[in-house]
Amino acid sequence: MGLSSRSAVAIHALTMLARWDHSLTSAEIADSLASNPVLVRRILGSLRDADLVWATEGRGGGWSLARAPHEITLHDAYTAVEEGPILSRHAHPPSDACEVGRHMQNLLETEFRDAEQAMEERLGRTTIAHLVQQVLAAERAHALPK
């Protein structure tokens, strides 16, 4: 299927939830994303299904992290909201009558698998807590007089 924006939305939402000491509504998260609360609720639902967030209903309710920010990796967020391989494969088998066509699927499968594994390993090294630290550092730098 390929990578969609769901990962970016999920990571953004998780980082917001880690940054603040209280639960947030999907509308509050959507405001930060300049997005629609319905889209955010769908993403949060997938994160809930993966045991990364939980929700409380009613007045004062909202979404909170289900685990400590240092225990949630970007790979966790990615796998909660994305399906299928990152890189698209041939939609149908290429021609076996062509010397390129008869070998390309196997060659690309090896390259794509290695690239996807490298991405998974990289995302697994970064936690939501690390992103919160980066946000706070960037905000401090932004606040300095120019």
Side-chain angles (χ1 to χ4, degrees), residues 110-126:
T110 300
E111 293 300 319
F112 286 5
R113 195 174 340 106
D114 289 350
E116 289 167 345
Q117 184 177 7
M119 188 190 106
E120 290 172 6
E121 289 172 4
R122 177 64 183 95
L123 292 178
R125 288 195 307 262
T126 304

Side-chain angles (χ1 to χ4, degrees), residues 1 4 34 40 53 70 82 85-86 93 101 108 140 143 145:
M1 171 176 204
S4 72
V40 172
V53 299
H70 70 273
E82 300 290 352
I86 298 162
L108 285 180
R140 282 190 299 273

